[in-house]
Amino acid sequence: MTTETPTLPEDTGRDTRVLACTNGSAGSGKSTTAAALAYAAAKKKKLVCVIGLDKQRDISRLLGYDDPDGDEDLATMYDVVDKLVTLSEAVVPAKDSKTKEVIPDLWVVLESKQLETLEFKLAGETARELWLHRIIGALRGRFDLIIFDCPGDVKLATIAAIIASDEVVGCTKSQEKEARGLTELEDKIADVAAAYGHTGMPTGIDWVVVTEGVDHKSQGKVYKDMEDQLREAYGDIVVETVCDDVKVPEAYTAGQPVTLFAPNCRAAKAYTKIGRQMKLYR
């Protein structure tokens, strides 16, 4: 950790990977996953930027900014949409919510409650689904990893993030509602790819992260059966299960990624392993 405010990394032509953490259902662990993977990668000396797209502002809170709308000196993603600042100008260093120190190698583009009006704001834009694709190039080459934290739906913000990404991370719990959200997500990706596949966007889900899973059927046969069905349906792209761990809600309450809050807990170790499985770091 450091108290110095770092400058935005220069464009050195890095081979940047852009991920979209998403699901067609809310409450699937997207922000928890995005924050945990981002911090784990930064600890491995990777330059990481998380871009928040959700009006709930969970990722902003987990990376050190409790109320971005309440600080007029902070630019948000909505300011980028409103063309008050560029995407590069909206990037700020992530912070430890507890100590207020800057987290080395980790950056964030903050969210705003006003993102709920995104579809209305961009209503007059030509090919508005491409709005993120048009601007993400400003950050490619600066970071090793960029992660979009999407809202819990497959509307404009999520569609734009998928088009602008290299890979889609489908986050789900071992429950039917969230699992159905993955199916909805797959269908939407197929529809969008039919129109925008020329951009090089993903054509399906690349990774599936099961959050709040169980170890065995004695902890809940329905949940274990659902996880087994997910692994049967998606095969090798289903990574390490993040088993239910009290440290996850405690980390959320503390406003920290679980990989920072309790690095030795089961969930943190699982997320660290997931990063390796996804080859985000060694």
Side-chain angles (χ1 to χ4, degrees), residues 10-201:
E10 295 182 2
D11 184 351
T12 59
R14 291 174 181 272
D15 185 12
T16 305
R17 287 176 66 181
V18 183
L19 311 180
C21 287
T22 183
N23 186 301
S25 174
S28 58
K30 299 178 299 297
S31 298
T32 296
T33 298
L37 291 178
Y39 182 79
K43 286 289 287 182
K44 298 291 185 180
K45 305 301 181 183
K46 300 297 182 180
L47 291 178
V48 185
C49 181
V50 183
I51 299 177
L53 297 171
D54 193 347
K55 67 180 181 180
Q56 299 296 334
R57 299 164 294 160
D58 284 340
I59 201 68
S60 301
R61 183 171 179 274
L62 289 170
L63 297 181
Y65 297 85
D66 190 55
D67 183 19
D69 290 309
D71 188 339
E72 61 184 18
D73 293 328
L74 289 174
T76 69
M77 195 64 200
Y78 189 81
D79 293 321
V80 177
V81 175
D82 210 20
K83 299 180 180 178
L84 298 177
V85 297
T86 65
L87 182 60
S88 298
E89 291 170 337
V91 177
V92 295
K95 296 182 180 180
D96 182 326
S97 296
K98 182 178 180 180
T99 66
K100 307 305 179 184
E101 293 181 338
V102 168
I103 301 174
D105 299 328
L106 183 53
W107 303 75
V108 60
V109 177
L110 302 171
E111 301 146 303
S112 168
K113 290 182 290 186
Q114 291 179 289
L115 285 169
E116 66 182 344
T117 66
L118 181 65
E119 300 213 11
F120 174 78
K121 184 69 177 178
L122 296 177
E125 293 277 340
T126 302
R128 61 181 185 160
E129 293 84 1
L130 294 175
W131 71 276
L132 274 175
H133 183 266
R134 296 186 184 110
I135 63 176
I136 194 61
L139 299 186
R140 286 186 181 270
R142 298 178 184 270
F143 296 96
D144 297 297
L145 177 64
I146 296 172
I147 303 177
F148 289 115
D149 180 40
C150 299
D153 55 46
V154 284
K155 296 180 180 178
L156 181 58
T158 299
I159 292 169
I162 291 170
I163 295 173
S165 296
D166 303 316
E167 302 163 49
V168 173
V169 182
C171 302
T172 182
K173 295 178 181 177
S174 52
Q175 298 179 29
E176 185 176 356
K177 178 175 76 74
E178 288 78 14
R180 285 203 312 268
L182 288 185
T183 302
E184 180 184 355
L185 177 62
E186 284 186 298
D187 292 343
K188 180 59 69 173
I189 292 173
D191 289 343
V192 174
Y196 297 109
H198 64 279
T199 64
M201 63 167 284

Side-chain angles (χ1 to χ4, degrees), residues 206-207 231 234-239:
D206 296 277
W207 307 98
R231 291 190 176 277
Y234 292 101
D236 291 342
I237 68 171
V238 184
V239 292

Side-chain angles (χ1 to χ4, degrees), residues 254-270:
Q256 294 179 322
V258 68
T259 40
L260 166 62
F261 178 76
N264 294 317
C265 75
R266 296 175 68 203
K269 289 181 177 179

